[in-house]
Amino acid sequence: TKSDPKWANINLVAKKLKTLSLVSEELMEDSAIALGDFFAQEIALAFAEAEDQAIFNGDGTSTYGGITGILSFAGAGSTVTAATGNTAFDTLDLADFHKVTGALPRYAVNGAKWYCSQQGFANSMERLAHAQGGVTRTETEQGSQLSFLGYPVEIAQVMNSTLTAQTSTNVLALGNLAQGVLFGDRVAADIKTSEDRYFDTDQIAVKGRERLSIKCHDFDHASTAGPIIVLATPGS
C-alpha cells in the first residue's frame, strides 16, 4: 500500500543579537595582547550564552527575543513529573529518571542526550551513579563520565541550578535536539570597528552582530510524547 510523506510549515523569523564595546586608541596602540582576538572571543561567548538561554529557558518574552525554549515549550505529553517529595536535585531518584527514559519515543533514542546544569548533574545523576556501589578509587578521584542510563550528558550551564526545593519546575531534559529544535543562522557572528562615532573621545567602537532564529517543534502535544522529554518537580 502506498503512502505519502506529509510536512508541516515551521516559520523561522530572524532575531538580532548585538554587542557594543569601546576601547581607547591608546590601549589599542600600546596593548601587548591582540585585542582583536580578545573581542572576537568575548563576543562569540556572549552570543553563545544568549543562544543557550533562548534554546533552553526562552519563555517567549522580549528577554529572549520572543523565542520559546525547550523547558517552556514542552507539552504535557512530553513532561514527566518526579515522585511526590522529590522537589530538589538531591532528592530525585532512579525511578524519576527511568520514567523519563521510558517516555522517550523509540525514534528519538539515537542521538538523544541529557541536558542539565553542572549542579544538577552532580547532585542527581552523579550522586545516584555513585550510590549504586562498585565505585573505584579512580572514579572517586576523577569523577563520573558524562553519561547516565546509557545516554550522554551535555552540560548546559544556563539551565536550572537551584539546589534547594523547587516545586512545579522543569529542571532538565532528555532528547534529540536535532528532531525537536530548528536553528536558523541568517548572519553568523559579524564584528566591525569604527573610529568615527567616538572620534572626539579618542575611542574605537567594536560592534558584534548576529541574526538567528530558534524554533521548537513536535513536543508540545498534550498527550503524545515528542523527541524531547522534560523532567519536572512535583507540586509538593
Side-chain angles (χ1 to χ4, degrees):
T1 303
K2 73 171 187 176
S3 61
D4 298 319
K6 296 181 180 179
W7 288 270
N9 290 324
I10 300 176
N11 190 30
L12 294 179
V13 179
K15 312 291 184 179
K16 186 183 292 186
L17 291 174
K18 293 180 71 175
T19 65
L20 181 65
S21 302
L22 301 180
V23 57
S24 70
E25 291 180 349
E26 290 81 5
L27 182 59
M28 290 289 281
E29 293 165 352
D30 300 341
S31 176
I33 64 172
L35 285 180
D37 293 341
F38 169 79
F39 277 108
Q41 182 181 31
E42 290 299 303
I43 290 171
L45 287 172
F47 286 164
E49 181 176 359
E51 292 165 7
D52 282 355
Q53 288 281 5
I55 288 173
F56 293 104
N57 301 325
D59 58 7
T61 64
S62 59
T63 301
Y64 303 97
I67 295 170
T68 300
I70 290 170
L71 298 182
S72 295
F73 185 81
S78 295
T79 302
V80 168
T81 302
T84 301
N86 294 357
T87 56
F89 283 114
D90 62 3
T91 58
L92 294 174
D93 56 33
L94 276 176
D96 296 326
F97 287 97
H98 282 306
K99 287 170 64 177
V100 176
T101 58
L104 187 69
R106 185 67 186 88
Y107 69 82
V109 168
N110 291 333
K113 296 181 180 180
W114 294 102
Y115 295 90
C116 70
S117 67
Q118 176 63 37
Q119 294 89 335
F121 170 73
N123 287 273
S124 61
M125 301 178 194
E126 190 171 40
R127 169 181 57 83
L128 290 169
H130 279 219
Q132 301 311 303
V135 178
T136 67
R137 174 180 174 179
T138 300
E139 290 172 322
T140 301
E141 291 175 344
Q142 299 181 2
S144 302
Q145 296 296 315
L146 287 175
S147 63
F148 190 63
L149 298 180
Y151 296 94
V153 176
E154 192 77 31
I155 299 299
Q157 198 53 39
V158 300
M159 296 184 72
N160 192 298
S161 59
T162 301
L163 297 183
T164 54
Q166 47 190 336
T167 58
S168 302
T169 303
N170 293 345
V171 293
L172 55 84
L174 168 69
N176 189 327
L177 264 61
Q179 295 178 341
V181 181
L182 283 179
F183 183 100
D185 195 354
R186 175 65 71 182
V187 176
D190 177 49
I191 301 174
K192 295 180 179 179
T193 62
S194 173
E195 299 179 359
D196 300 326
R197 181 175 177 183
Y198 299 97
F199 172 79
D200 60 326
T201 60
D202 295 333
Q203 291 178 304
I204 299 172
V206 182
K207 184 187 74 172
R209 184 176 74 104
E210 182 179 22
R211 293 182 66 214
L212 59 94
S213 185
I214 298 167
K215 186 73 172 181
C216 295
H217 60 91
D218 286 332
F219 60 99
D220 59 336
H221 306 294
S223 57
T224 304
I228 300 174
I229 306 298
V230 168
L231 177 62
T233 57
S236 61

